[in-house]
Amino acid sequence: MPRMNEDLKKPPAKATVAPQDKLLVCREEAAEILSISVRSVDYLLANRQLTSRRIGTRNLIPMADLKRFARMDHPERLAC
């Protein structure tokens, strides 16, 4: 018979890290940081204007690449 305290255990809380403190972000976070759509992020990844790192099944984008991209001028449209 399980003890009463074991039934009341909570799962560990998720750690939250501010976006500027992260090394890698998902496509949705990258889009939010750059103020563009997720589709535009996908286009930038496909055209190698942003790089990604594969960890398991996830494609994560380095914050350094987002900062580099944000510092540059982009007079052309992202998608044609």
Side-chain angles (χ1 to χ4, degrees), residues 10-58:
K10 295 180 185 176
K14 280 190 169 184
T16 55
V17 179
Q20 64 271 14
D21 295 334
K22 291 183 178 185
L23 296 176
L24 302 168
V25 296
C26 65
R27 294 168 33 248
E28 292 81 9
E29 288 174 310
E32 187 176 328
I33 290 166
L34 293 175
S35 299
I36 60 176
S37 68
V38 175
R39 184 179 233 171
S40 294
V41 170
D42 291 338
Y43 179 81
L44 293 171
L45 289 167
N47 289 316
R48 298 176 189 247
Q49 291 179 312
L50 289 176
T51 61
S52 67
R53 305 286 184 268
R54 192 162 202 58
I55 298 179
T57 60
R58 302 180 70 197

